[in-house]
């Protein structure tokens, strides 16, 4: 009789939304059919580690007058563990399962700017939900930019062992064709994050103006 070795334990997360930030004070309402709504649906920033999702996302939320949520921070708050601790104790598969669950919950909330973790958009289920309920923006960065921006930081477990440059290059190969399916693609440059956020805001508004309706309005 073969004995199946026990896998890592399942991660127990607090699914209550109590750790979420309260909505900000409403900005002045714009005139027109979208009056009172600074952004009609959630914007999800996707891209590799170091692309600037968290940093640019925070600026974009201020510009758009909606809350900012970082998916990794939500996962950490729900698990009461850092991303590195989750990887070390429970393994990557359990992290990914938690990430899918947290993303689904965040995508049910009223419009916000959501900085996804770099791997979130690779899950079919999450990508399908984003397509239905949000506008996705890929912050596309070259390898040099990603290496420079992630160097010397230890909070990304995938880059903590081996050659970070080689890991990022391999991830680019695997993930860029999938990130390329996002609604909007923006190149990450050396400009200040606020300038990238302004470009993102303009591109999202253009995208919404050209699509028939906001995804969150056309599907339940
Ligand atoms: N123009 C820029 N846009 C975004 N991030 C920048 C820029 N220049 C430098 N950075 C730095 O690069 C890092 C990007 O990290 P972060 O926003 O956490 O990326 P991600 O969430 O995509 O992994 C931050 O330390 C940020 O300060
Ligand atoms: O690309 C990935 O698989 C990951 C990206 C990280 O988020 P950032 O992209 O915000 O660094 C974090 O979710 C985790 O370390 C795994
Ligand atoms: Mg981030």
């Amino acid at each position: 009789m073969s004995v199946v070795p026990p896998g890592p334990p399942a991660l127990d997360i607090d699914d209550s939304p109590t750790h979420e930030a309260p909505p900000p004070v409403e900005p002045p309402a714009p005139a027109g059919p979208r009056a009172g709504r600074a952004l009609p649906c959630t914007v999800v920033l996707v891209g590799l580690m170091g692309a600037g999702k968290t940093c640019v996302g925070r600026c974009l939320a201020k510009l758009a007058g909606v809350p900012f949520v970082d998916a990794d921070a939500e996962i950490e708050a729900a698990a009461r563990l850092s991303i590195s601790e989750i990887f070390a104790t429970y393994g990557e598969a359990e992290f990914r399962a938690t990430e899918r669950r947290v993303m689904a919950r965040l995508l049910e909330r009223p419009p916000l700017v959501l900085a996804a973790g770099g791997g979130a958009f690779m899950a079919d289920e999450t990508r399908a939900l984003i397509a239905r309920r949000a506008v996705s923006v890929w912050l596309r960065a070259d390898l040099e930019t990603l290496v420079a921006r992630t160097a010397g930081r230890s909070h990304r477990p995938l880059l903590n062992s081996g050659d970070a440059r080689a890991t990022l290059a391999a991830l680019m190969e695997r993930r860029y064709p999938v990130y390329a399916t996002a609604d909007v693609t923006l190149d990450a440059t050396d400009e200040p994050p606020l300038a990238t956020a302004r470009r993102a805001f303009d591109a999202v508004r253009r995208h919404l103006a050209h699509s028939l309706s906001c995804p969150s309005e056309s599907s339940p």
Side-chain angles (χ1 to χ4, degrees), residues 21-46:
V25 177
E26 282 284 315
R34 298 219 190 274
R37 298 161 75 193
L39 197 64
C41 54
T42 287
V43 174
V44 182
L45 297 178
V46 306

Side-chain angles (χ1 to χ4, degrees), residues 99-113:
E99 185 174 52
R100 286 195 295 277
R101 206 161 129 194
V102 168
M103 287 294 289
R105 178 163 59 72
L106 293 173
L107 287 162
E108 280 171 5
R109 288 183 51 184
L112 47 83
V113 171

Side-chain angles (χ1 to χ4, degrees), residues 22-91:
V25 177
E26 282 284 315
R34 298 219 190 274
R37 298 161 75 193
L39 197 64
C41 54
T42 287
V43 174
V44 182
L45 297 178
V46 306
L48 258 186
M49 294 172 275
K53 303 178 295 293
T54 300
C55 182
V56 171
R58 201 167 277 128
C59 299
L60 176 59
K62 284 207 184 97
L63 287 176
V66 297
F68 169 71
V69 178
D70 184 77
D72 283 341
E74 282 291 307
I75 292 168
E76 291 182 329
R80 292 179 224 87
L81 292 170
S82 70
I83 301 291
S84 296
E85 287 168 333
I86 297 172
F87 268 70
T89 309
Y90 298 95

Side-chain angles (χ1 to χ4, degrees), residues 136-140 179-188 199 203:
S136 49
V137 176
W138 173 26
L139 290 183
R140 179 171 59 187
Y179 293 155
T181 65
D183 297 313
V184 171
T185 296
L186 275 190
D187 281 312
R199 280 195 293 129

